[in-house]
Amino acid sequence: MSPDSIKRIGILTGGGDCPGLNAVIRAVAKTAMLQFRMEVFGIEDGFQGLIDNRVRRLSFRDVSGILTRGGTILGSNNRCDPRRYCTSTGPDGTPVFTDVTPTCLATIRENQLDAIIVIGGDGTMCCAAPLVEAGVNVIGIPKTIDNDLFGTEITFGFLTAVATATEALDRLHSTADSHHRVMVCEVMGRNAGWIALTAGVASGSDMILIPEIPFDDEAIGQFIRQRMESGPGFAIVVVAEGARSLGGAPVVARIDPTSPDPIRLGGIGQRVADSIGARTNAEVRTTVLGHVLRGGMPIAADRILATNFGYHAISILMEGASGRLVVREGNVFSDVDLLASAGRQRLVPTNHALITAARAVGTSFGDRLTRTEGRAGNSSVV
Ligand code: F6P
């Protein structure tokens, strides 16, 4: 489709929400309305809105005054995958899945949407893939507090989550010091430990446990004993929800069989706290930050990132791009093949420069390595 014929676009926010979604919606919609005189439509509750044909026209007023607002004015959903949509349950309660991609395509046709801006993480991009394959003009914008989307050095929402986690860890620091306790703080990060790593470094946490570096309970016990007995007498441990012990598995909180990604993690913080309690004389407390990290106002850096991503998405759309994911690499905005990025993750490299720097100042990663592994490459996380 020639860019000149793009007159009506839809915007969809999918997956778990995060700070900055409204800032992106605003940037996409205002650029489309002001620069290209397009009509902009909001698709409600992610892909569920495409299945139910819940599509509403957005006025300029709808997208004004939302830059700083948390959440998404369109609603979101991380339990709805059109490729595998739960339409009913069998007699034994087993979910029955159907591919409802044709229903989504019908909604797009019915609303005469010439293109769709899909704002989401890895799961959302996978859901968008069949639409791209069916010839829908889709541009993706990378969102997730976990910062683990393949192809981009940063996703919006991440920096706000890091700021929130850092503030919480700072607060735990003073109470840990007063009571001579070990404070274990669990943060989100299902497959990638970017939040734990960056907030851990920013707060000067003593130990950082991430999925990419399996931890050793004995090494943790030894490190904490040393800090309690011959160190400052308190410790801060930040642990990503997907962290696991050597040879162990992540701690699963619950399973939702009707969800395309049924496993919900949670509980590793308490599991680590119990292990420390059993191996030391320390008094240990656990805090789980969980969805607190996804809520609230985006910080300035995320508002700027969101505005750049939103503007860039419309720019490339009007240059004729289709099936692309807007990214930032080396601090430059560009785009990559959405289908090539979907389903892949950007994990923390174990020789990441920030890990090297953290080890250099005495931070433990719950393993037996205490010295740095020499100079590492790319350190860009912010
Ligand atoms: O993908 C972002 C994320 O915050 C993960 O870190 C976490 O496992 C998941 O969302 C939680 O999702 P839900 O909203 O289903 O609890």
Side-chain angles (χ1 to χ4, degrees):
M1 169 176 275
S2 109
D4 292 343
S5 51
I6 298 176
K7 302 282 182 224
R8 294 161 64 99
I9 62 163
I11 309 178
L12 172 159
T13 53
D17 68 344
C18 83
L21 278 167
N22 285 324
V24 174
I25 293 169
R26 168 185 177 269
V28 167
K30 286 194 169 183
T31 306
M33 291 174 188
L34 292 175
Q35 304 304 319
F36 299 101
R37 300 190 173 283
M38 290 180 202
E39 286 184 86
V40 180
F41 294 81
I43 299 161
E44 294 177 350
D45 298 333
F47 284 91
Q48 191 65 54
L50 274 186
I51 296 167
D52 301 341
N53 196 2
R54 283 188 282 121
V55 178
R56 63 179 150 98
R57 176 145 185 215
L58 296 176
S59 68
F60 196 79
R61 205 177 172 138
D62 289 329
V63 295
S64 299
I66 62 170
L67 175 65
T68 60
R69 204 191 296 173
T72 158
I73 59 164
L74 299 178
S76 195
N77 188 326
N78 65 358
R79 300 177 70 250
C80 167
D81 179 347
R83 298 165 304 172
R84 218 169 154 265
Y85 184 66
C86 177
T87 39
S88 58
T89 45
D92 57 349
T94 322
V96 177
F97 294 104
T98 312
D99 182 356
V100 294
T101 303
T103 312
C104 297
L105 295 171
T107 300
I108 293 168
R109 269 196 310 275
E110 197 171 310
N111 291 280
Q112 298 170 337
L113 300 178
D114 304 316
I116 300 200
I117 308 298
V118 173
I119 309 168
D122 171 45
T124 305
M125 295 310 148
C126 286
C127 293
L131 301 184
V132 175
E133 283 157 354
V136 178
N137 206 344
V138 176
I139 302 290
I141 299 182
K143 163 243 71 163
T144 164
I145 63 164
D146 290 359
N147 200 31
D148 60 354
L149 207 61
F150 188 83
T152 183
E153 67 188 359
I154 195 145
T155 56
F156 72 88
F158 166 65
L159 292 173
T160 303
V162 170
T164 306
T166 302
E167 191 197 335
L169 288 162
D170 290 346
R171 289 173 187 275
L172 290 174
H173 214 115
S174 59
T175 175
D177 191 2
S178 309
H179 285 268
H180 319 294
R181 282 174 174 161
V182 177
M183 290 295 191
V184 177
C185 180
E186 180 180 313
V187 297
M188 280 191 172
R190 196 182 356 209
N191 301 303
W194 292 109
I195 297 176
L197 172 63
T198 45
V201 169
S203 61
S205 291
D206 306 297
M207 181 174 282
I208 299 171
L209 305 179
I210 59 175
E212 295 85 347
I213 305 179
F215 59 81
D216 173 348
D217 284 294
E218 291 307 327
I220 293 178
Q222 199 180 329
F223 180 88
I224 298 292
R225 271 197 306 277
Q226 192 276 325
R227 258 193 82 85
M228 299 306 283
E229 288 159 17
S230 44
F234 72 93
I236 308 292
V237 179
V238 54
V239 46
E241 64 180 349
R244 66 207 77 178
S245 62
L246 272 170
V251 179
V252 175
R254 63 186 179 285
I255 299 208
D256 178 352
T258 63
S259 170
D261 189 359
I263 293 173
R264 296 290 182 275
L265 299 181
I268 186 66
Q270 193 54 49
R271 144 86 177 75
V272 168
D274 292 344
S275 167
I276 293 173
R279 285 173 173 78
T280 70
N281 293 323
E283 203 182 343
V284 193
R285 295 287 186 272
T286 309
T287 301
V288 180
L289 294 182
H291 296 81
V292 167
L293 300 178
R294 292 222 311 240
M297 216 184 231
I299 62 168
D302 265 332
R303 297 178 203 178
I304 294 164
L305 189 57
T307 304
N308 270 315
F309 274 147
Y311 156 72
H312 198 74
I314 294 299
S315 295
I316 64 166
L317 178 69
M318 297 315 283
E319 284 161 15
S322 177
R324 306 293 291 177
L325 175 72
V326 172
V327 298
R328 201 189 79 184
E329 270 304 323
N331 220 11
V332 173
F333 290 92
S334 61
D335 50 279
V336 298
D337 182 1
L338 187 147
L339 293 178
S341 165
R344 298 170 73 186
Q345 269 158 349
R346 192 177 74 94
L347 303 181
V348 179
T350 54
N351 68 343
H352 192 279
L354 198 54
I355 295 181
T356 308
R359 287 198 198 273
V361 297
T363 308
S364 167
F365 283 82
D367 53 2
R368 296 210 171 264
L369 210 60
T370 50
R371 297 178 65 87
T372 59
E373 291 177 305
R375 299 188 63 181
N378 184 9
S379 70
S380 60
V381 282
V382 291

